[in-house]
Amino acid sequence: MSALTAKAVVYNRVPRVTADFWLIKLMAVTMGETAADYLNVQMGLGLTATSLIMSAILAVALVWQFAQKRYVPAAYWLSVVLISIVGTLITDNLVDNFHVPLMDTTIAFSIALALTFMLWFQTERTLSIHSIFTGRREAFYWLTILFTFALGTAAGDLVAEKFALGYLATGVLFGMIIISLAIGYSFLGLDPILAFWLVYILTRPLGASFGDLMSQPAQYGGLAFGTIITSVLFLAAIVTIVAFMSVLHEGEELAAIDGDDKVAKAGRRQRLTVAEEEL
């Protein structure tokens, strides 16, 4: 217990990966898609104004997030929702305003993501999401997430336009790929870091497909709920789950230091014991 106690004073600043994590992440990206469409089209702000406004709000949210020394659900998930919107808008700006082809955009963000991982590893000697306990590591983490949203948007739009599968079929396609990755991780020894980030990228087009399915008019293959109703529904679900996480401290974990993931996976009873000893 002494070794655990010595390291337990450092908490991870990002959540433990659980079923709740993936559920709220999927809803966050779905809301990001519909909210971006609402601000850009329905409110008539346009891509440029919407991008500037949302980027400024994201900057404020990230200041709040970086001020935390452990995982705080409200700060973390607000940042995820906003960065999903900004990541979508970055790709939309490149394609619609600067007329960059989706194939080129997808390749560019793939390269940017790979370079981010390389620099992250060269600097920190780890890519573990269980060891985000310094400002520099968290900066790499959020930059990576931004590129995953931008890449997911570009790849999803590329598949949707090239194969013209429709919203439901596109969602099912990406869902099947995610399931295959989960099987590879669970039974075939797929590297956990690679599996996590691949699924993180693919949940963006998966969520966007179902967001469009719910919000778009029937003549375009949607269910015609509209962007406002769809965004409000998912926002309400996100707030409910975040409140649940906050009350039960769901997703908290101790930081893995020097690759000691056993410390990060300490149970809640162990964390409570450590907290009592700190007092």
Side-chain angles (χ1 to χ4, degrees), residues 43-272:
M43 289 193 66
L45 295 179
L47 275 176
T48 301
T50 301
S51 301
L52 292 174
I53 292 171
M54 297 312 299
S55 295
I57 297 174
L58 171 61
V60 174
L62 286 176
V63 169
W64 182 28
Q65 165 62 26
F66 272 79
Q68 311 307 314
K69 299 307 178 185
R70 66 174 68 189
Y71 166 60
V72 176
Y76 177 86
W77 289 110
L78 175 62
S79 298
V80 170
V81 170
L82 291 171
I83 208 167
S84 72
I85 297 174
V86 172
T88 298
L89 290 169
I90 289 174
T91 297
D92 289 344
N93 271 285
L94 288 173
V95 174
D96 296 339
N97 286 345
F98 296 96
H99 309 292
V100 180
L102 280 170
M103 179 63 75
D104 295 348
T105 307
T106 301
I107 294 173
F109 282 124
S110 297
I111 294 173
L113 187 59
L115 291 175
T116 302
F117 279 128
M118 289 176 58
L119 183 59
W120 183 355
F121 185 78
Q122 288 178 354
T123 303
E124 301 295 332
R125 308 312 300 174
T126 179
L127 296 176
S128 174
I129 58 172
H130 302 291
S131 61
I132 310 298
F133 59 87
T134 67
R136 186 166 63 183
R137 290 188 181 186
E138 190 173 3
F140 278 120
Y141 178 87
W142 287 109
L143 181 61
T144 301
I145 285 181
L146 177 63
F147 284 139
T148 64
F149 279 120
L151 174 58
T153 301
D157 290 349
L158 178 63
V159 170
E161 291 188 12
K162 184 173 182 179
F163 299 107
L165 296 178
Y167 303 127
L168 180 59
T170 300
V172 171
L173 172 63
F174 283 108
M176 292 176 63
I177 297 173
I178 289 173
I179 291 173
S180 67
L181 289 170
I183 293 173
Y185 166 71
S186 300
F187 302 106
L188 302 178
L190 181 63
D191 181 80
I193 294 176
L194 176 62
F196 172 82
W197 286 112
L198 285 176
V199 173
Y200 205 100
I201 293 169
L202 293 172
T203 50
R204 169 58 185 78
L206 174 65
S209 297
F210 286 110
D212 286 336
L213 176 66
M214 293 180 64
S215 64
Q216 295 302 312
Q219 60 264 36
Y220 298 122
L223 299 177
F225 285 107
T227 55
I228 296 178
I229 294 177
T230 303
S231 297
V232 169
L233 286 174
F234 282 102
L235 177 60
I238 290 170
V239 170
T240 301
I241 298 176
V242 167
F244 169 81
M245 288 179 168
S246 299
V247 171
L248 297 183
H249 301 280
E250 177 69 27
E252 286 187 3
E253 68 176 359
L254 306 174
I257 302 176
D258 299 328
D260 188 3
D261 284 354
K262 291 181 180 179
V263 174
K265 295 176 182 177
R268 186 166 182 263
R269 178 177 298 178
Q270 291 172 299
R271 295 198 299 272
L272 291 176

Side-chain angles (χ1 to χ4, degrees), residues 9-57:
V9 293
V10 181
Y11 283 82
N12 207 21
R13 299 184 186 181
V14 302
R16 185 164 43 92
V17 179
T18 62
D20 288 342
F21 173 92
W22 290 117
L23 177 61
I24 195 171
K25 198 271 181 179
L26 185 60
M27 289 190 294
V29 299
T30 304
M31 181 188 166
E33 175 72 11
T34 57
D37 289 343
Y38 173 72
L39 293 171
N40 176 29
V41 180
Q42 273 71 29
M43 289 193 66
L45 295 179
L47 275 176
T48 301
T50 301
S51 301
L52 292 174
I53 292 171
M54 297 312 299
S55 295
I57 297 174

